[in-house]
Amino acid sequence: MFWRAFAAASFLVMGTSCGGPSPPPPPPSPVRASGTSTPAPASGPLFVNAAPEAGLTAVLYCGGADKDHIMESVGTGAAFVDFDEDGRLDVFLVNGWALDEEPSRVRLKGRNVLYRNIGGGRFEDVTDRSGVGDEGWGCGVCAADYDNDGHVDLFVTGFGPARLYRNRGDGTFEQAAGRAGLSDPGWGAGAAFFDADADGDLDLYVARYIEATLDDVLAARRTSTWRDTAKVMAGPFGLRGGKDRFYRNNGDGTFRDATEEAGMADLAESYGLGVLASDLDNDGDVDVYVANDSNPNFLYRNEGRGKFTEIGTWSGAGLSDDGIAQAGMGVEAGDLDGDGLQEIFVTNFARDHATLYKNLGGLSFADVSGGWNLKKLTHDTLKWGCAIFDYDLDGDGDLMIANGHIYPQVDLFSRLDESYKQVPTLLRNDGGRLTDVSRSAGPGMQVAASARGLAAGDYDDDGDLDLLITTIDGPPLLLRNDTTRAGHWLKLRLLNRHGSPAINARAIVSAGGASLTRELRSGSSYQSQNALELHFGLGRSPRVDTIQVIWPGGGRSVRKDVEVDGTITLREPSAEAGGEPVRPADRLQPGGASGRF
């Protein structure tokens, strides 16, 4: 996690930390015991932590209190997923283990938790009857229908064998990783399902962080010196990086390791954390971007037929604008400037900025973090999960970042002026420049935690996007979006021919002379899964002129003159019915004279 390799001589092994002043305390009046809040000004964002009243109370563990080993710093992810297909978003939380310090030993094995959305802003714990509550030391989660049976499955990475929870369609899951060939014992982090070779089934990429054993974790001691003051954990430098894995789907519910034949061998043994599988050049196949800690980020260009070439540094998206490898953790993609091309957003360690790579087309990117004000606004915090989402429905994409330090020891030294628990960052898109509105965004945005995973989805079905955030050694945050709306909205549920979410389908919504582009993805953020539906803020447009859907198989569906403020389900045309073919030149058709919102 750790910023630039040896960027400062004052520390021994790690990068840097979350500098800057400690976050201000929450406002004294808005939060009541129930988690409700007093109204915010009509013009400002308003987020409330609704987790306690919603019933999301499970504690998520990650090692011991002192965090002696780097394994105890990475935390866990979360997913918004409709596992029971009732139209409401449920919540899946990945859990880890708790350790005692002296003697160092496993104190408690946390269980993954599944909460079923019962409506009215409430959830019930269905872990026991669902079959997902095993006690592995989990890390990340991604979701998709890997076996084309019409039900969304869950893949969970971790410190030890991965888990593949196959959805039976009756509210229960079976653990199928061994039978599927996915029970890799290595330390897995971010992961994503995607169809690498356009054969109609979903393959899988898994980033692996560091090679370590439980004995290594229990025997670890804090041997690095942080800013000439605090003794802290060592790593990642000096530790062996894990080798990422690519698994090809055999089409029969099993996978095989095809990492080398696909051209995805991680020869550098980089410290992989975040994974993004997205068609970044709009050529009809899916590329893969990997956020690496303290090493150049990877960008695998899909050459067709499931073959890839790594072009991260050449593309401009592997290093910062000054040519230095940052400490990539979370990754997201979205069209922030309205030109029909998705930018890449990467979160990094403290005392270094989050990075925005503008998509120039043809898999060429430019670091525009300075121009978008990110260097100033994100320098001090230690950044993890992230989301590009339109929180106020005004028609442009805003940015959300979950923050939290990895060194509890910083709280012991006031002169460091740092904090282990940090508040989130909410950045409003003001026409190509970002404004930090976090401190005026309601009581939910003032909750300090050592946060990690972040997922976005409309769990209460009121038309705006809410946020699910995991924390280290604490319960999750459920930031309900109560912002006064600046516009209308539309939600799309895109289903493939099997009736499951059409991973990497792309929708282009034209309304009021502007064009908005979204892609349905498995994985991304930091070890987490956003809701498998596409959400559009439409500003003041009273109707949608056109919806174009570019399906993973290459066909196109078009809907015209669509009402707003509702949810539409679109299904991929059957093979017999066909679909209008899409030539590469017309895959995206941005609207508006300037191509901006």
Side-chain angles (χ1 to χ4, degrees):
M1 355 217 109
F2 307 102
W3 191 44
R4 310 176 174 188
F6 300 97
S10 61
F11 57 91
L12 183 63
V13 178
M14 291 197 112
T16 89
S17 154
C18 150
S22 300
S29 59
V31 180
R32 296 194 290 272
S34 65
T36 58
S37 66
T38 56
S43 59
L46 175 58
F47 287 83
V48 175
N49 180 26
E53 67 186 66
L56 305 185
T57 58
V59 174
L60 306 177
Y61 300 101
C62 193
D66 290 340
K67 309 303 179 194
D68 293 336
H69 191 275
I70 197 170
M71 178 66 214
E72 304 172 75
S73 71
V74 296
T76 59
F80 272 130
V81 58
D82 181 10
F83 81 94
D84 55 0
E85 301 161 29
D86 65 353
R88 292 191 291 255
L89 292 179
D90 310 300
V91 166
F92 178 79
L93 302 173
V94 183
N95 212 339
W97 292 359
L99 303 181
D100 283 333
E101 304 292 346
E102 295 293 341
S104 185
R105 61 187 178 185
V106 177
R107 175 173 62 86
L108 183 151
K109 294 182 178 181
R111 302 173 69 212
N112 299 327
V113 186
L114 181 62
Y115 288 104
R116 179 175 176 267
N117 190 331
I118 58 176
R122 300 280 302 175
F123 294 82
E124 65 170 336
D125 188 336
V126 295
T127 304
D128 288 338
R129 68 174 182 258
S130 69
V132 299
D134 69 60
E135 298 178 340
W137 190 326
C139 290
V141 59
C142 65
D145 177 13
Y146 79 91
D147 55 357
N148 288 334
D149 65 353
H151 310 301
V152 175
D153 312 298
L154 298 170
F155 179 74
V156 177
T157 64
F159 184 51
R163 267 67 176 177
L164 177 64
Y165 296 111
R166 180 181 175 273
N167 191 336
R168 293 189 176 107
D170 60 358
T172 68
F173 294 79
E174 62 175 324
Q175 211 295 92
R179 183 172 71 249
L182 294 178
S183 56
D184 188 331
W187 177 356
F193 285 106
F194 68 108
D195 188 355
D197 47 9
D199 64 352
D201 49 37
L202 296 176
D203 310 298
L204 178 68
Y205 189 97
V206 181
R208 295 177 63 193
Y209 190 45
I210 283 171
E211 294 292 340
T213 67
L214 181 58
D215 288 341
D216 294 334
V217 175
L218 296 178
R221 296 294 181 265
R222 300 190 304 277
T223 57
S224 296
T225 302
W226 175 243
R227 295 178 62 187
D228 297 322
T229 301
K231 283 291 184 181
V232 297
M233 69 179 78
F237 292 118
L239 303 176
R240 182 180 177 183
K243 291 185 177 182
D244 298 355
R245 293 286 188 267
F246 170 71
Y247 297 96
R248 198 176 303 281
N249 193 325
N250 296 321
D252 59 359
T254 67
F255 294 77
R256 61 185 176 88
D257 188 336
T259 309
E260 292 191 9
E261 72 180 58
M264 292 177 143
D266 180 5
L267 300 178
E269 297 183 355
S270 298
Y271 308 114
L273 284 173
V275 175
L276 170 74
S278 174
D279 182 5
L280 293 168
D281 53 358
N282 300 337
D283 67 348
D285 51 33
V286 182
D287 313 294
V288 176
Y289 186 90
V290 182
N292 288 319
D293 182 1
S294 305
N295 285 276
N297 298 322
F298 297 152
L299 175 55
Y300 290 104
R301 181 179 63 206
N302 194 328
E303 308 288 5
R305 300 180 183 274
K307 302 293 185 180
F308 293 83
T309 302
E310 204 288 299
I311 60 168
T313 302
W314 171 87
S315 74
L319 305 169
S320 66
D321 59 358
D322 51 7
I324 295 178
Q326 297 174 279
M329 288 180 275
V331 59
E332 176 69 299
D335 181 10
L336 284 173
D337 56 9
D339 64 356
L341 297 170
Q342 296 184 97
E343 278 65 57
I344 299 174
F345 179 70
V346 183
T347 56
N348 297 302
F349 205 71
R351 296 191 181 275
D352 191 13
H353 60 84
T355 308
L356 180 64
Y357 296 105
K358 176 175 172 51
N359 193 331
L360 305 176
L363 288 184
S364 293
F365 294 85
D367 180 352
V368 295
S369 307
W372 280 73
N373 209 24
L374 277 167
K375 290 188 175 183
K376 175 182 178 182
L377 297 178
T378 64
H379 179 268
D380 291 341
T381 52
L382 204 165
K383 301 159 284 292
W384 300 86
C386 53
I388 296 175
F389 76 125
D390 185 357
Y391 75 82
D392 54 3
L393 310 181
D394 66 351
D396 55 22
D398 309 297
L399 282 169
M400 173 69 181
I401 306 171
N403 302 314
H405 217 299
I406 65 169
Y407 304 139
Q409 291 76 25
V410 299
D411 287 339
L412 303 177
F413 300 93
S414 59
R415 79 172 188 84
L416 292 177
D417 200 19
E418 300 182 44
S419 177
Y420 180 62
K421 295 182 177 182
Q422 302 177 4
V423 293
T425 301
L426 179 63
L427 303 176
R428 186 183 65 219
N429 187 345
D430 290 328
R433 190 169 176 82
L434 297 169
T435 301
D436 191 340
V437 295
S438 311
R439 300 303 163 265
S440 60
M445 288 288 177
Q446 316 313 316
V447 178
S450 188
R452 296 296 186 267
L454 168 64
D458 181 11
Y459 84 92
D460 53 1
D461 295 317
D462 65 350
D464 52 31
L465 286 173
D466 312 294
L467 301 166
L468 176 65
I469 300 174
T470 63
T471 70
I472 293 281
D473 301 326
L477 307 178
L478 180 63
L479 301 189
R480 187 183 67 224
N481 188 348
D482 290 343
T483 303
T484 300
R485 298 176 181 177
H488 298 285
W489 58 277
L490 179 69
K491 195 187 310 181
L492 295 182
R493 291 176 178 156
L494 305 181
L495 303 181
N496 62 21
R497 295 167 186 172
H498 306 284
S500 51
I503 301 300
N504 293 114
R506 189 184 304 263
I508 306 98
V509 169
S510 298
S515 183
L516 309 174
T517 302
R518 305 282 189 272
E519 182 186 37
L520 194 67
R521 289 193 294 267
S522 171
S524 76
S525 182
Y526 176 75
Q527 301 190 151
S528 296
Q529 176 68 60
N530 295 321
L532 290 172
E533 47 194 31
L534 299 181
H535 184 275
F536 297 82
L538 301 173
R540 298 185 179 182
S541 301
R543 296 187 72 82
V544 167
D545 300 318
T546 305
I547 301 173
Q548 298 182 69
V549 178
I550 312 302
W551 299 100
R556 176 174 62 186
S557 297
V558 178
R559 289 280 295 271
K560 295 183 178 180
D561 194 22
V562 177
E563 294 184 1
V564 299
D565 299 334
T567 301
I568 295 177
T569 298
L570 298 176
R571 293 179 179 270
E572 183 180 12
S574 66
E576 292 76 17
E580 184 177 349
V582 180
R583 299 181 301 275
D586 62 14
R587 287 191 178 277
L588 292 179
Q589 300 177 15
S594 66
R596 296 186 60 82
F597 300 129

